[in-house]
């Protein structure tokens, strides 16, 4: 088990965006990145959410010295999933690295999903597209 899994498929010196993700969404993001041949975006998997493995995360993020855009991507609504916790703690734990951490997810909702597979598919594609938007 690895609490943080760095991206070994891109040249770290050429990375300017780091996408932090957990779970199965990684595979959708990887497919999109591979299809678009994006070499500027690193996909870092945070597989241990609590306690936050901040030392390992710091060691991993320091491998991308030219990165200035840090994004947490989740397919849960903004007020659910890991973001409400990580959005508060990560910038505090790693203040020199994650000053501008931002979130990409579904809008805040009272339910964990839209209830419609068509709406879900559209929202999922929007999340994936936004993760790689300039």
């Amino acid at each position: 088990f690895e609490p943080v899994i760095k991206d070994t498929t891109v040249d770290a010196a050429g990375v300017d965006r780091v996408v932090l993700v957990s779970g199965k969404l990684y595979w959708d993001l990887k497919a999109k990145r591979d299809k678009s041949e994006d070499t500027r975006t690193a996909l870092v998997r945070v597989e241990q959410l609590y306690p936050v493995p901040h030392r390992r995360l710091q060691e991993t993020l320091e491998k991308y010295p030219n990165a200035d855009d840090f994004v947490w991507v989740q397919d849960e609504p903004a007020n659910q999933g890991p973001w409400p916790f990580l959005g508060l703690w990560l910038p505090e734990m790693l203040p020199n690295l994650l000053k501008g951490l931002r979130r990409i997810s579904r809008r805040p909702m009272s339910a964990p999903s839209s209830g419609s597979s068509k709406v879900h598919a559209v929202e999922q594609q929007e999340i994936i597209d936004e993760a790689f938007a300039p």
Side-chain angles (χ1 to χ4, degrees):
F1 176 76
E2 292 290 327
V4 177
I5 303 171
K6 68 178 180 174
D7 191 338
T8 59
T9 63
V10 293
D11 176 25
V15 168
D16 60 9
R17 174 181 294 161
V18 175
V19 173
L20 302 165
V21 64
S22 183
K24 71 172 189 68
L25 184 57
Y26 165 79
W27 299 104
D28 295 336
L29 292 169
K30 184 177 181 323
K32 168 78 174 186
R33 187 188 64 185
D34 291 350
K35 185 177 180 181
S36 66
E37 298 179 357
D38 181 343
T39 59
R40 298 177 28 245
T41 303
L43 301 175
V44 174
R45 293 186 275 177
V46 181
E47 296 300 329
Q48 177 178 315
L49 300 173
Y50 188 87
V52 177
H54 63 278
R55 282 190 210 100
R56 289 198 187 210
L57 190 54
Q58 180 175 356
E59 291 168 4
T60 301
L61 295 177
E62 286 174 345
K63 298 199 183 307
Y64 306 106
N66 298 319
D68 59 0
D69 186 14
F70 296 92
V71 183
W72 174 263
V73 180
Q74 67 179 33
D75 54 4
E76 295 92 354
N79 60 325
Q80 299 176 31
W83 177 252
F85 172 70
L86 293 178
L88 291 172
W89 284 103
L90 285 179
E92 187 174 307
M93 289 179 181
L94 305 168
N96 296 331
L97 290 171
L98 296 175
K99 289 178 187 166
L101 178 65
R102 59 191 175 90
R103 168 198 47 84
I104 296 173
S105 70
R106 288 178 168 70
R107 70 190 186 287
M109 298 189 310
S110 60
S113 68
S114 64
S116 163
S117 63
K118 290 180 182 177
V119 171
H120 174 82
V122 168
E123 290 175 340
Q124 189 79 355
Q125 191 58 51
E126 288 174 354
I127 290 168
I128 292 167
D129 291 343
E130 188 178 346
F132 295 99

